[in-house]
Amino acid sequence: MSDAAELVDRVRDGEIALHELESHADADTATAARRRLVADEAETALDTVGEYAIDAADAEPNIENMIGTVQIPLGVAGPLPVAGDRADSETHLPLATTEGALVASVNRGCAVLRAADGANARVTKRAMTRAPVFRVADIVEAEAVVEWVRDNRDALADAAEATTSHGELVDITPYAVGDSVFLRFGYDTKDAMGMNMATIATGEACEVVESETTAELVALSGNLCTDKKPAAINAVEGRGRSVTADVRIPNDVVEERLHASPDAIAELNTRKNLIGSAKAGSLGFNAHAANVVAAAFLATGQDAAQVVEGANAITTVEAREDELYASVSLASLEVGTVGGGTKLPTQSEGLSVLGLRGGGDPPGANADRLAEVIAAGALAGELSLLGALASRHLSSAHAELGR
């Protein structure tokens, strides 16, 4: 096997390409050679990028042309008390971020939740989606295809589920648009985030549709899924896991911990998160739920681009006679505890902090619990920011914490 210096010379001589280095050396040596080449071409130093604790081979399923790693500071907020379908316990929530004040803000929200005897959280829907688009001759043919799909759901389920030992087809929703037919397949993917699972399963189902109808597949994804893009369909119908966390906070706790009255926080939420978001045409009616979603995703190996769907959240607040009710409902939180980035060593440790590494018992329990915890963390973040705004402490907190 070649060493890094030899690999660099062979690439420069045009003998081998950057993406072929792993065929000529172990993963760490190939990474070092690639890093040296890039540093030389850019006339910069990549020493820190090259300092990492994991084996490059562990990252091979997750990255191509690896030159090193980017380290993101990792903090924890908590203890975070969450009573969910899957567990009733306190945990520390790992958050990876470069945004000063974020962890402190969530931590303050966690203190509010503890003083209120904890948050409740429930996953209300599970459906990772993939929506292929087919070509038909006209709307008459489209109607026939839609009717066939509705009458033959079991045959499509058999084909899709034959590709996976865990995934379960839970829904097929057809949409006809002129001479295009979209079929939005939804799967319970258990403890996996499930995007690849849904794609492979849907591919098999599409073969059945093509063989039994006049429809011709144009694309396995027709963007009605919708993956990694803002979309009303995800806000309304959900994708991945739909989860809600809520809390009932005694009035004295609100005033002591958030330094504002319940009425002031409720009014602020209405004018900012509801009216302001509506005026802006936003799909997310919340203060900053994506902050917690993104930081938790990075810490636990989720697909970071899916924070787009994670921002589909509605925060509600109601001042009651002796308490403040607050909730965060995330319509499309796409998380898993197996597969993808969750297998990387540092991200796996993040899941271990939560006690959610690997598959759950029953299947799906760990991913459900992860969704519950992230939702409760988002609730903590919402409460803290609303309190800071209502008490007019937001700018001073950011100045103090270096943002």
Side-chain angles (χ1 to χ4, degrees):
M1 299 292 280
S2 302
D3 62 18
E6 180 183 345
L7 288 175
V8 169
D9 290 338
R10 294 175 70 184
V11 172
R12 285 175 174 156
D13 291 340
E15 183 181 340
I16 55 177
L18 280 178
H19 67 273
E20 298 174 332
L21 295 185
E22 275 80 6
S23 301
H24 300 272
D26 63 80
D28 283 306
T29 302
T31 298
R34 199 178 287 114
R35 182 170 61 251
R36 185 182 301 185
L37 280 163
V38 172
D40 289 349
E41 289 185 9
E43 297 182 352
T44 190
L46 294 174
D47 298 337
T48 306
V49 167
E51 293 292 331
Y52 50 87
I54 68 173
D55 291 330
D58 290 337
E60 285 186 339
N62 304 96
I63 189 76
E64 297 78 40
N65 284 353
M66 181 173 170
I67 65 169
T69 66
V70 174
Q71 300 178 70
I72 302 174
L74 178 66
V76 292
L80 173 62
V82 191
D85 251 351
R86 299 304 185 182
D88 181 354
S89 62
E90 288 190 347
T91 187
H92 283 91
L93 176 62
L95 299 170
T97 184
T98 58
E99 182 178 359
L102 175 60
V103 175
S105 177
V106 178
N107 209 45
R108 182 169 81 131
C110 289
V112 174
L113 296 182
R114 291 196 301 274
D117 294 328
N120 293 307
R122 294 293 187 276
V123 172
T124 56
K125 187 176 182 180
R126 302 166 189 83
M128 175 51 68
T129 59
R130 179 54 86 201
V133 57
F134 297 84
R135 178 194 307 113
V136 293
D138 52 29
I139 190 59
V140 175
E141 198 168 281
E143 181 189 32
V145 171
V146 167
E147 287 302 314
W148 185 91
V149 169
R150 287 174 173 156
D151 291 340
N152 292 273
R153 185 193 179 283
D154 290 345
L156 295 174
D158 289 343
E161 293 173 5
T163 67
T164 172
S165 58
H166 298 292
E168 177 186 355
L169 181 66
V170 295
D171 184 53
I172 309 173
T173 304
Y175 298 85
V177 182
D179 60 354
S180 295
V181 174
F182 298 82
L183 301 178
R184 194 171 192 256
F185 288 77
Y187 300 87
D188 183 348
T189 56
K190 309 306 179 185
D191 284 303
M193 181 270 282
M195 190 68 267
N196 289 339
M197 185 189 301
T199 298
I200 294 168
T202 301
E204 290 298 311
C206 286
E207 292 188 9
V208 177
V209 174
E210 283 196 297
S211 67
E212 298 295 330
T213 75
T214 58
E216 297 179 41
L217 181 67
V218 175
L220 190 53
S221 173
N223 268 14
L224 200 66
C225 312
T226 296
D227 191 37
K228 302 175 184 175
K229 292 167 282 293
I233 195 168
N234 290 341
V236 175
E237 297 296 335
R239 187 170 195 257
R241 280 168 166 80
S242 299
V243 57
T244 294
D246 67 4
V247 65
R248 296 162 62 176
I249 313 169
N251 287 343
D252 60 335
V253 173
V254 175
E255 295 179 358
E256 176 187 350
R257 300 281 183 170
L258 296 176
H259 310 294
S261 70
D263 286 334
I265 292 177
E267 180 185 8
L268 170 62
N269 187 75
T270 297
R271 295 184 185 276
K272 170 185 169 63
N273 287 340
L274 305 185
I275 299 174
S277 297
K279 179 63 176 175
S282 176
L283 295 178
F285 287 65
N286 60 84
H288 68 149
N291 249 335
V292 175
V293 173
F297 273 22
L298 292 172
T300 60
Q302 311 305 311
D303 190 328
Q306 288 177 329
V307 71
V308 174
E309 293 99 294
N312 273 336
I314 298 176
T315 298
T316 68
V317 178
E318 179 186 2
R320 298 174 177 174
E321 183 176 348
D322 56 356
E323 65 184 15
L324 185 73
Y325 173 82
S327 75
V328 175
S329 297
L330 295 102
S332 46
L333 189 65
E334 296 151 341
V335 294
T337 59
V338 299
T342 68
K343 295 184 292 186
L344 290 168
T346 53
Q347 287 80 356
S348 180
E349 288 183 4
L351 287 170
S352 294
V353 169
L354 296 167
L356 299 176
R357 179 179 177 180
D361 183 18
N366 278 0
D368 279 355
R369 180 59 177 172
L370 179 59
E372 292 172 351
V373 170
I374 292 175
L379 177 60
E382 293 291 281
L383 287 168
S384 183
L385 181 51
L386 289 173
L389 287 166
S391 62
R392 303 190 180 185
H393 290 163
L394 181 64
S395 59
S396 60
H398 284 189
E400 180 182 346
L401 293 169
R403 265 189 63 190

